[in-house]
Amino acid sequence: RNEVVLCEGTGHCAVGSIVGASNAKVASMIGGSMVLIANGGLGSCFDELELNRVLCENHNVDVAGVIINKVLPEKYEQTKDYMSRALEQHW
């Protein structure tokens, strides 16, 4: 028995909804938590995370963490500061 099993979804949490099997629904069915991944940026990044968080919440799926991907090196500190504050305030 393993302590952690990684199941990779594809795209955002709603991918697969057209066939009734979104990533969030599958995570719910297997009792899994999700790590949300969004591309770098500020407003659009947070908006994407928030949409996915709400869908996870709707399916009773715990969000175990967040990864901000493809952050430009010169924007790293700014992104880290802003996203940390935004996530703490709103989540």
Side-chain angles (χ1 to χ4, degrees):
R1 186 156 164 93
N2 297 314
E3 290 184 31
V4 174
V5 175
L6 177 65
C7 301
E8 182 180 3
T10 178
H12 53 79
C13 292
V15 168
S17 294
I18 194 160
V19 294
S22 69
N23 288 323
K25 183 174 182 178
V26 170
S28 178
M29 291 169 60
I30 65 171
S33 298
M34 294 183 82
V35 174
L36 301 180
I37 301 173
N39 287 328
L42 297 178
S44 63
C45 177
F46 183 80
D47 292 346
E48 180 181 339
L49 289 171
E50 181 63 6
L51 286 170
N52 287 308
R53 182 195 66 78
V54 169
L55 187 58
C56 287
E57 185 178 87
N58 192 33
H59 285 282
N60 297 311
V61 174
D62 178 56
V63 175
V66 169
I67 296 173
I68 310 299
N69 199 19
K70 300 178 185 175
V71 176
L72 297 173
E74 62 271 17
K75 298 286 188 175
Y76 175 78
E77 289 300 328
Q78 177 190 25
T79 301
K80 180 180 172 185
D81 175 59
Y82 177 83
M83 291 304 295
S84 295
R85 287 187 288 124
L87 290 170
E88 284 178 25
Q89 180 179 0
H90 297 284
W91 287 29

Coordinates of all heavy atoms in Angstrom, one line a residue:
R1 N 0.8 -1.2 0.0 CA 0.0 0.0 0.0 C 0.9 1.2 0.0 O 1.8 1.3 0.8 CB -0.9 0.0 1.2 CG -1.9 1.1 1.2 CD -3.1 0.7 2.1 NE -3.9 1.8 2.4 CZ -4.9 2.2 1.7 NH1 -5.3 1.6 0.6 NH2 -5.6 3.3 2.0
N2 N 0.6 2.2 -0.8 CA 1.3 3.4 -1.0 C 0.7 4.6 -0.2 O -0.5 4.6 0.0 CB 1.4 3.8 -2.4 CG 2.2 2.8 -3.2 OD1 3.2 2.3 -2.9 ND2 1.6 2.4 -4.4
E3 N 1.6 5.5 0.3 CA 1.1 6.7 1.0 C 0.5 7.7 0.0 O -0.4 8.4 0.3 CB 2.2 7.3 1.8 CG 2.6 6.4 3.0 CD 3.6 7.1 3.9 OE1 3.6 8.4 3.9 OE2 4.4 6.4 4.4
V4 N 1.1 7.7 -1.2 CA 0.7 8.7 -2.2 C 0.6 8.0 -3.5 O 1.4 7.3 -3.9 CB 1.7 9.9 -2.3 CG1 1.3 10.8 -3.4 CG2 1.8 10.6 -1.0
V5 N -0.5 8.3 -4.2 CA -0.7 7.9 -5.6 C -0.9 9.1 -6.4 O -1.8 9.9 -6.1 CB -1.8 6.9 -5.8 CG1 -2.1 6.5 -7.2 CG2 -1.6 5.6 -5.0
L6 N -0.2 9.3 -7.5 CA -0.3 10.5 -8.4 C -1.1 10.1 -9.6 O -0.7 9.2 -10.3 CB 1.0 11.1 -8.8 CG 1.0 12.2 -9.7 CD1 0.4 13.4 -9.0 CD2 2.5 12.6 -10.1
C7 N -2.2 10.8 -9.8 CA -3.1 10.6 -11.0 C -3.1 11.9 -11.7 O -3.6 12.9 -11.2 CB -4.5 10.2 -10.6 SG -4.6 8.7 -9.6
E8 N -2.5 11.9 -12.9 CA -2.5 13.2 -13.7 C -3.7 13.4 -14.5 O -4.1 12.5 -15.3 CB -1.2 13.2 -14.6 CG -1.1 14.5 -15.3 CD 0.2 14.5 -16.2 OE1 0.9 13.5 -16.3 OE2 0.4 15.5 -16.9
G9 N -4.3 14.5 -14.3 CA -5.5 14.9 -15.2 C -4.9 15.6 -16.4 O -3.8 15.6 -16.7
T10 N -5.8 16.2 -17.1 CA -5.4 16.9 -18.3 C -6.2 18.3 -18.4 O -7.4 18.3 -18.1 CB -5.7 16.1 -19.6 OG1 -5.3 16.9 -20.7 CG2 -7.2 15.7 -19.7
G11 N -5.5 19.3 -18.6 CA -6.1 20.6 -18.7 C -6.7 21.1 -17.4 O -6.2 20.8 -16.3
H12 N -7.8 21.9 -17.4 CA -8.4 22.4 -16.2 C -9.3 21.4 -15.6 O -9.5 20.3 -16.1 CB -9.1 23.7 -16.5 CG -10.1 23.6 -17.6 ND1 -11.3 23.1 -17.4 CD2 -10.0 24.0 -18.9 CE1 -12.0 23.1 -18.6 NE2 -11.1 23.6 -19.5
C13 N -9.9 21.7 -14.4 CA -10.7 20.8 -13.7 C -12.0 20.4 -14.4 O -12.5 19.3 -14.1 CB -11.1 21.4 -12.3 SG -9.7 21.6 -11.2
A14 N -12.5 21.2 -15.3 CA -13.7 20.8 -16.0 C -13.5 20.0 -17.2 O -14.5 19.5 -17.8 CB -14.5 22.1 -16.3
V15 N -12.3 19.8 -17.6 CA -12.0 18.9 -18.8 C -12.7 17.6 -18.7 O -12.6 16.9 -17.7 CB -10.5 18.8 -19.1 CG1 -10.3 17.7 -20.2 CG2 -9.9 20.1 -19.5
G16 N -13.5 17.2 -19.7 CA -14.2 15.9 -19.6 C -15.6 16.1 -19.2 O -16.4 15.1 -19.2
S17 N -16.1 17.3 -18.9 CA -17.4 17.5 -18.5 C -18.5 17.1 -19.5 O -19.5 16.6 -19.2 CB -17.7 19.0 -18.1 OG -16.9 19.3 -17.0
I18 N -18.1 17.2 -20.8 CA -19.1 16.9 -21.8 C -19.5 15.4 -21.8 O -20.5 15.0 -22.3 CB -18.5 17.3 -23.2 CG1 -19.7 17.3 -24.3 CG2 -17.4 16.4 -23.6 CD1 -19.4 18.1 -25.5
V19 N -18.6 14.6 -21.2 CA -18.9 13.1 -21.1 C -19.2 12.7 -19.7 O -19.3 11.6 -19.3 CB -17.8 12.2 -21.7 CG1 -17.7 12.5 -23.2 CG2 -16.5 12.5 -21.1
G20 N -19.4 13.7 -18.8 CA -19.7 13.5 -17.4 C -18.6 13.0 -16.6 O -18.8 12.4 -15.5
A21 N -17.4 13.2 -17.0 CA -16.2 12.7 -16.2 C -15.1 13.8 -16.2 O -14.0 13.6 -16.6 CB -15.7 11.5 -16.9
S22 N -15.4 15.0 -15.6 CA -14.4 16.0 -15.4 C -13.3 15.6 -14.5 O -13.5 14.6 -13.7 CB -15.1 17.3 -14.9 OG -15.5 17.1 -13.5
N23 N -12.2 16.2 -14.6 CA -11.1 15.9 -13.7 C -11.5 16.0 -12.2 O -11.2 15.2 -11.4 CB -9.9 16.9 -13.9 CG -9.2 16.6 -15.2 OD1 -9.1 15.4 -15.6 ND2 -8.8 17.6 -15.9
A24 N -12.3 17.1 -11.9 CA -12.8 17.2 -10.5 C -13.7 16.1 -10.1 O -13.6 15.6 -9.0 CB -13.5 18.6 -10.4
K25 N -14.6 15.6 -11.0 CA -15.5 14.5 -10.7 C -14.7 13.2 -10.5 O -15.0 12.5 -9.5 CB -16.5 14.4 -11.8 CG -17.5 13.3 -11.5 CD -18.7 13.2 -12.5 CE -19.7 12.2 -12.1 NZ -20.8 12.1 -13.1
V26 N -13.7 13.0 -11.3 CA -12.9 11.8 -11.2 C -12.2 11.8 -9.8 O -12.1 10.8 -9.1 CB -12.0 11.6 -12.3 CG1 -11.0 10.5 -12.1 CG2 -12.8 11.3 -13.6
A27 N -11.6 13.0 -9.5 CA -10.9 13.1 -8.2 C -11.9 12.8 -7.0 O -11.5 12.1 -6.1 CB -10.3 14.5 -8.0
S28 N -13.1 13.3 -7.2 CA -14.1 13.0 -6.1 C -14.4 11.5 -6.1 O -14.5 11.0 -5.0 CB -15.4 13.8 -6.4 OG -16.4 13.6 -5.5
M29 N -14.6 10.9 -7.2 CA -14.9 9.5 -7.2 C -13.9 8.6 -6.6 O -14.2 7.6 -6.0 CB -15.2 9.0 -8.7 CG -16.4 9.6 -9.3 SD -16.6 9.4 -11.1 CE -16.6 7.6 -11.2
I30 N -12.6 9.0 -6.7 CA -11.5 8.1 -6.2 C -11.1 8.6 -4.8 O -10.2 8.1 -4.2 CB -10.3 8.0 -7.1 CG1 -9.6 9.4 -7.3 CG2 -10.7 7.4 -8.5 CD1 -8.3 9.3 -8.1
G31 N -11.7 9.7 -4.3 CA -11.4 10.2 -3.0 C -10.1 11.0 -2.9 O -9.4 11.0 -1.9
G32 N -9.7 11.5 -4.1 CA -8.4 12.2 -4.2 C -8.5 13.7 -3.9 O -9.5 14.3 -4.0
S33 N -7.3 14.2 -3.6 CA -7.1 15.7 -3.5 C -6.5 16.1 -4.8 O -6.0 15.3 -5.6 CB -6.2 16.0 -2.3 OG -6.7 15.6 -1.1
M34 N -6.5 17.5 -5.0 CA -6.0 18.0 -6.3 C -4.9 19.0 -6.0 O -5.1 19.8 -5.0 CB -7.0 18.6 -7.2 CG -8.0 17.5 -7.7 SD -9.2 18.3 -8.9 CE -8.3 18.3 -10.4
V35 N -3.9 19.1 -6.8 CA -3.0 20.2 -6.8 C -3.3 21.0 -8.1 O -3.3 20.4 -9.2 CB -1.5 19.7 -6.9 CG1 -0.5 20.9 -7.0 CG2 -1.2 18.9 -5.6
L36 N -3.6 22.2 -8.0 CA -4.0 23.0 -9.1 C -2.8 23.7 -9.7 O -1.9 24.2 -9.0 CB -5.0 24.1 -8.7 CG -6.3 23.6 -8.1 CD1 -7.2 24.8 -7.7 CD2 -7.0 22.7 -9.0
I37 N -2.7 23.7 -11.0 CA -1.6 24.3 -11.7 C -2.1 25.4 -12.7 O -3.0 25.1 -13.4 CB -0.8 23.2 -12.5 CG1 -0.3 22.1 -11.6 CG2 0.4 23.9 -13.3 CD1 0.3 20.9 -12.3
A38 N -1.5 26.5 -12.6 CA -1.9 27.7 -13.5 C -0.6 28.3 -14.0 O 0.4 28.3 -13.4 CB -2.7 28.7 -12.7
N39 N -0.7 28.9 -15.2 CA 0.4 29.6 -15.8 C 0.6 30.9 -15.1 O -0.3 31.5 -14.6 CB 0.2 29.8 -17.3 CG 0.4 28.5 -18.1 OD1 1.1 27.6 -17.7 ND2 -0.4 28.4 -19.1
G40 N 1.8 31.4 -15.1 CA 2.2 32.6 -14.5 C 1.4 33.8 -14.9 O 0.7 33.8 -15.9
G41 N 1.5 34.9 -14.2 CA 0.7 36.1 -14.4 C 0.1 36.4 -13.1 O 0.4 35.9 -12.0
L42 N -0.8 37.4 -13.1 CA -1.4 37.8 -11.8 C -2.9 37.6 -11.9 O -3.4 36.6 -11.4 CB -1.0 39.3 -11.5 CG 0.5 39.5 -11.2 CD1 0.8 41.0 -10.9 CD2 1.0 38.6 -10.1
G43 N -3.6 38.5 -12.5 CA -5.0 38.5 -12.5 C -5.6 37.2 -13.1 O -6.4 36.5 -12.6
S44 N -5.1 36.9 -14.4 CA -5.6 35.8 -15.1 C -5.3 34.5 -14.4 O -6.0 33.5 -14.4 CB -5.2 35.8 -16.5 OG -3.8 35.7 -16.6
C45 N -4.1 34.5 -13.8 CA -3.7 33.3 -13.0 C -4.6 33.0 -11.8 O -5.1 31.9 -11.6 CB -2.2 33.5 -12.6 SG -1.6 32.1 -11.6
F46 N -4.9 34.1 -11.1 CA -5.7 33.9 -9.9 C -7.1 33.5 -10.3 O -7.8 32.7 -9.7 CB -5.8 35.2 -9.1 CG -6.6 35.0 -7.8 CD1 -6.1 34.4 -6.7 CD2 -7.9 35.5 -7.8 CE1 -6.9 34.2 -5.6 CE2 -8.7 35.3 -6.7 CZ -8.2 34.6 -5.6
D47 N -7.6 34.2 -11.4 CA -9.0 33.9 -11.9 C -9.1 32.4 -12.3 O -10.1 31.7 -12.0 CB -9.3 34.7 -13.1 CG -9.5 36.2 -12.8 OD1 -9.6 36.5 -11.6 OD2 -9.5 37.0 -13.7
E48 N -8.1 31.9 -13.0 CA -8.1 30.5 -13.4 C -8.1 29.5 -12.2 O -8.8 28.6 -12.1 CB -6.8 30.2 -14.2 CG -6.7 28.8 -14.7 CD -5.4 28.5 -15.5 OE1 -4.8 29.5 -16.0 OE2 -5.0 27.4 -15.6
L49 N -7.3 29.9 -11.2 CA -7.2 29.1 -9.9 C -8.6 29.1 -9.2 O -9.0 28.1 -8.7 CB -6.1 29.6 -9.0 CG -4.7 29.2 -9.5 CD1 -3.7 30.0 -8.6 CD2 -4.4 27.7 -9.5
E50 N -9.2 30.3 -9.2 CA -10.4 30.4 -8.5 C -11.6 29.6 -9.1 O -12.4 29.0 -8.5 CB -10.8 31.9 -8.4 CG -12.1 32.2 -7.6 CD -12.1 31.8 -6.1 OE1 -11.1 31.4 -5.6 OE2 -13.2 31.8 -5.5
L51 N -11.6 29.7 -10.5 CA -12.6 28.9 -11.2 C -12.4 27.4 -10.9 O -13.4 26.6 -10.6 CB -12.5 29.1 -12.7 CG -13.1 30.4 -13.2 CD1 -12.7 30.6 -14.7 CD2 -14.6 30.5 -13.0
N52 N -11.2 26.9 -10.9 CA -10.9 25.5 -10.6 C -11.2 25.2 -9.2 O -11.7 24.1 -8.9 CB -9.5 25.2 -11.0 CG -9.3 25.1 -12.5 OD1 -10.1 24.4 -13.2 ND2 -8.4 25.8 -13.1
R53 N -10.9 26.1 -8.2 CA -11.1 25.8 -6.8 C -12.6 25.7 -6.6 O -13.1 24.8 -5.8 CB -10.6 27.0 -6.0 CG -10.8 26.7 -4.5 CD -10.6 28.0 -3.6 NE -11.6 29.0 -3.9 CZ -12.9 29.0 -3.4 NH1 -13.3 28.0 -2.6 NH2 -13.7 29.9 -3.7
V54 N -13.4 26.5 -7.2 CA -14.9 26.4 -7.0 C -15.4 25.1 -7.5 O -16.3 24.5 -6.9 CB -15.6 27.6 -7.7 CG1 -17.1 27.5 -7.7 CG2 -15.2 28.9 -6.9
L55 N -14.9 24.7 -8.7 CA -15.4 23.4 -9.2 C -15.0 22.2 -8.3 O -15.8 21.3 -8.0 CB -14.8 23.1 -10.6 CG -15.4 21.9 -11.3 CD1 -16.9 21.9 -11.5 CD2 -14.7 21.8 -12.7
C56 N -13.8 22.3 -7.7 CA -13.3 21.3 -6.8 C -14.2 21.3 -5.5 O -14.7 20.2 -5.1 CB -11.9 21.5 -6.4 SG -10.7 21.1 -7.6
E57 N -14.5 22.5 -5.1 CA -15.4 22.6 -3.9 C -16.8 22.0 -4.2 O -17.4 21.3 -3.4 CB -15.5 24.1 -3.5 CG -16.3 24.4 -2.3 CD -16.4 25.9 -2.0 OE1 -17.3 26.6 -2.5 OE2 -15.5 26.4 -1.3
N58 N -17.3 22.2 -5.4 CA -18.6 21.7 -5.8 C -18.6 20.2 -5.8 O -19.6 19.6 -5.6 CB -18.9 22.3 -7.2 CG -20.4 22.0 -7.6 OD1 -21.3 22.0 -6.7 ND2 -20.6 21.8 -8.8
H59 N -17.5 19.6 -6.0 CA -17.3 18.1 -6.1 C -16.7 17.6 -4.8 O -16.4 16.4 -4.7 CB -16.5 17.7 -7.3 CG -17.2 17.8 -8.6 ND1 -18.2 16.8 -9.0 CD2 -17.2 18.7 -9.5 CE1 -18.6 17.2 -10.2 NE2 -18.0 18.3 -10.5
N60 N -16.6 18.4 -3.7 CA -16.1 18.0 -2.4 C -14.6 17.5 -2.6 O -14.3 16.5 -1.9 CB -17.0 17.0 -1.7 CG -18.3 17.6 -1.4 OD1 -18.4 18.7 -0.9 ND2 -19.4 16.9 -1.8
V61 N -13.8 18.1 -3.4 CA -12.5 17.7 -3.6 C -11.6 18.7 -2.9 O -11.7 19.9 -3.1 CB -12.1 17.7 -5.1 CG1 -10.6 17.4 -5.3 CG2 -12.9 16.6 -5.8
D62 N -10.7 18.2 -2.0 CA -9.7 19.1 -1.3 C -8.6 19.6 -2.3 O -8.1 18.8 -3.1 CB -9.1 18.3 -0.2 CG -8.1 19.1 0.6 OD1 -8.4 20.2 1.1 OD2 -6.9 18.6 0.7
V63 N -8.3 20.9 -2.2 CA -7.2 21.4 -3.0 C -6.0 21.3 -2.1 O -5.9 22.0 -1.1 CB -7.5 22.8 -3.5 CG1 -6.2 23.4 -4.2 CG2 -8.7 22.9 -4.4
A64 N -5.1 20.4 -2.4 CA -3.9 20.2 -1.6 C -2.8 21.2 -1.8 O -1.9 21.3 -0.9 CB -3.4 18.8 -1.8
G65 N -2.8 21.9 -2.9 CA -1.8 22.9 -3.2 C -2.0 23.5 -4.5 O -2.9 23.2 -5.3
V66 N -1.1 24.5 -4.8 CA -1.1 25.3 -6.0 C 0.3 25.4 -6.6 O 1.2 25.6 -5.8 CB -1.7 26.7 -5.7 CG1 -1.5 27.6 -6.9 CG2 -3.2 26.6 -5.3
I67 N 0.4 25.2 -7.8 CA 1.7 25.5 -8.5 C 1.5 26.5 -9.6 O 0.5 26.4 -10.4 CB 2.2 24.2 -9.2 CG1 2.5 23.1 -8.2 CG2 3.4 24.5 -10.1 CD1 2.9 21.8 -8.8
I68 N 2.3 27.6 -9.5 CA 2.2 28.6 -10.6 C 3.4 28.3 -11.5 O 4.6 28.4 -11.1 CB 2.4 30.1 -10.0 CG1 1.5 30.3 -8.8 CG2 2.2 31.1 -11.1 CD1 0.0 30.2 -9.1
N69 N 3.0 28.0 -12.7 CA 4.0 27.5 -13.7 C 4.4 28.6 -14.7 O 3.6 29.5 -14.9 CB 3.3 26.3 -14.5 CG 4.3 25.4 -15.2 OD1 5.5 25.4 -14.9 ND2 3.8 24.7 -16.1
K70 N 5.6 28.4 -15.3 CA 6.0 29.3 -16.3 C 6.1 30.8 -15.9 O 5.7 31.7 -16.7 CB 5.2 29.2 -17.6 CG 5.2 27.8 -18.1 CD 4.2 27.7 -19.3 CE 4.2 26.2 -19.8 NZ 3.2 26.1 -20.9
V71 N 6.6 31.0 -14.7 CA 6.8 32.4 -14.2 C 8.1 32.9 -14.8 O 9.1 32.3 -14.6 CB 6.8 32.5 -12.7 CG1 7.0 33.9 -12.2 CG2 5.4 32.0 -12.1
L72 N 8.0 34.1 -15.4 CA 9.3 34.7 -15.9 C 10.2 35.0 -14.7 O 9.7 35.5 -13.7 CB 9.0 36.0 -16.6 CG 8.1 35.9 -17.9 CD1 7.7 37.3 -18.4 CD2 8.8 35.1 -18.9
P73 N 11.5 34.7 -14.9 CA 12.4 34.9 -13.8 C 12.4 36.3 -13.2 O 12.4 36.5 -11.9 CB 13.8 34.7 -14.4 CG 13.5 33.7 -15.5 CD 12.2 34.2 -16.0
E74 N 12.2 37.3 -14.0 CA 12.2 38.7 -13.5 C 10.8 39.0 -12.8 O 10.7 40.1 -12.1 CB 12.4 39.7 -14.6 CG 11.5 39.7 -15.8 CD 11.8 38.7 -16.9 OE1 12.6 37.8 -16.7 OE2 11.2 38.9 -18.0
K75 N 9.8 38.2 -13.0 CA 8.5 38.4 -12.3 C 8.3 37.5 -11.1 O 7.3 37.5 -10.5 CB 7.4 38.1 -13.3 CG 7.4 39.1 -14.5 CD 6.9 40.4 -14.1 CE 6.8 41.3 -15.3 NZ 6.2 42.6 -15.0
Y76 N 9.3 36.6 -10.8 CA 9.2 35.6 -9.7 C 8.8 36.2 -8.4 O 7.8 35.8 -7.8 CB 10.5 34.8 -9.6 CG 10.4 33.8 -8.4 CD1 9.6 32.7 -8.5 CD2 11.0 34.1 -7.2 CE1 9.5 31.8 -7.5 CE2 10.8 33.3 -6.1 CZ 10.1 32.1 -6.3 OH 10.0 31.3 -5.2
E77 N 9.5 37.2 -7.9 CA 9.3 37.8 -6.6 C 7.9 38.5 -6.5 O 7.2 38.3 -5.6 CB 10.4 38.7 -6.1 CG 11.7 38.0 -5.8 CD 11.6 37.0 -4.7 OE1 10.8 37.3 -3.7 OE2 12.3 36.0 -4.7
Q78 N 7.6 39.2 -7.6 CA 6.3 39.9 -7.6 C 5.2 38.9 -7.6 O 4.2 39.1 -6.9 CB 6.3 40.8 -8.9 CG 4.9 41.5 -9.1 CD 4.8 42.2 -10.4 OE1 5.4 41.8 -11.4 NE2 3.9 43.2 -10.5
T79 N 5.3 37.9 -8.5 CA 4.3 36.9 -8.5 C 4.1 36.1 -7.2 O 3.0 35.9 -6.7 CB 4.6 35.9 -9.7 OG1 4.7 36.6 -10.9 CG2 3.5 34.8 -9.8
K80 N 5.2 35.8 -6.6 CA 5.2 35.1 -5.3 C 4.5 35.9 -4.3 O 3.6 35.4 -3.5 CB 6.6 34.7 -4.9 CG 6.7 34.0 -3.6 CD 8.1 33.7 -3.2 CE 8.3 33.2 -1.8 NZ 9.7 33.0 -1.4
D81 N 4.8 37.2 -4.2 CA 4.2 38.1 -3.2 C 2.7 38.3 -3.4 O 1.9 38.1 -2.5 CB 5.0 39.5 -3.2 CG 4.3 40.5 -2.3 OD1 4.2 40.2 -1.1 OD2 3.9 41.5 -2.8
Y82 N 2.4 38.6 -4.7 CA 1.0 38.9 -5.0 C 0.1 37.6 -4.8 O -0.9 37.7 -4.2 CB 0.8 39.4 -6.4 CG -0.6 39.6 -6.8 CD1 -1.3 40.8 -6.4 CD2 -1.3 38.7 -7.5 CE1 -2.6 41.0 -6.7 CE2 -2.6 38.9 -7.8 CZ -3.3 40.0 -7.4 OH -4.6 40.2 -7.8
M83 N 0.5 36.5 -5.4 CA -0.3 35.3 -5.3 C -0.4 34.8 -3.9 O -1.4 34.3 -3.5 CB 0.3 34.2 -6.2 CG 0.2 34.6 -7.7 SD -1.6 34.9 -8.2 CE -2.3 33.4 -8.0
S84 N 0.7 34.9 -3.1 CA 0.6 34.4 -1.7 C -0.4 35.2 -1.0 O -1.2 34.7 -0.2 CB 2.0 34.6 -1.0 OG 3.0 33.8 -1.6
R85 N -0.4 36.6 -1.1 CA -1.4 37.4 -0.4 C -2.8 37.1 -0.9 O -3.7 37.0 -0.1 CB -1.0 38.9 -0.6 CG 0.2 39.3 0.3 CD 0.5 40.8 0.3 NE 1.0 41.2 -1.0 CZ 0.5 42.1 -1.8 NH1 -0.6 42.8 -1.4 NH2 1.0 42.5 -2.9
A86 N -3.0 37.0 -2.2 CA -4.3 36.8 -2.8 C -4.9 35.5 -2.3 O -6.0 35.4 -1.9 CB -4.2 36.8 -4.3
L87 N -4.1 34.4 -2.3 CA -4.5 33.1 -1.9 C -4.9 33.1 -0.4 O -5.9 32.5 0.0 CB -3.5 32.0 -2.3 CG -3.4 31.7 -3.8 CD1 -2.2 30.8 -4.0 CD2 -4.6 31.1 -4.3
E88 N -4.0 33.7 0.4 CA -4.3 33.8 1.8 C -5.6 34.6 2.1 O -6.4 34.2 3.0 CB -3.1 34.4 2.6 CG -1.9 33.5 2.7 CD -0.8 34.1 3.4 OE1 -1.0 35.1 4.2 OE2 0.4 33.7 3.2
Q89 N -5.8 35.6 1.4 CA -7.0 36.5 1.6 C -8.3 35.8 1.2 O -9.3 35.9 1.8 CB -6.8 37.8 0.9 CG -7.9 38.8 1.1 CD -7.7 40.1 0.4 OE1 -6.7 40.3 -0.2 NE2 -8.7 41.0 0.6
H90 N -8.2 35.2 0.0 CA -9.5 34.7 -0.6 C -9.8 33.2 -0.4 O -10.9 32.8 -0.7 CB -9.5 35.0 -2.1 CG -9.4 36.5 -2.4 ND1 -10.5 37.3 -2.2 CD2 -8.4 37.3 -2.7 CE1 -10.2 38.6 -2.5 NE2 -8.9 38.6 -2.8
W91 N -8.8 32.5 0.0 CA -8.9 31.0 0.1 C -8.9 30.7 1.6 O -9.1 29.7 2.1 CB -7.9 30.2 -0.6 CG -8.0 30.3 -2.1 CD1 -8.6 31.3 -2.9 CD2 -7.6 29.3 -3.1 NE1 -8.6 31.0 -4.2 CE2 -8.0 29.8 -4.4 CE3 -7.0 28.1 -3.0 CZ2 -7.7 29.1 -5.5 CZ3 -6.7 27.4 -4.1 CH2 -7.0 27.9 -5.4

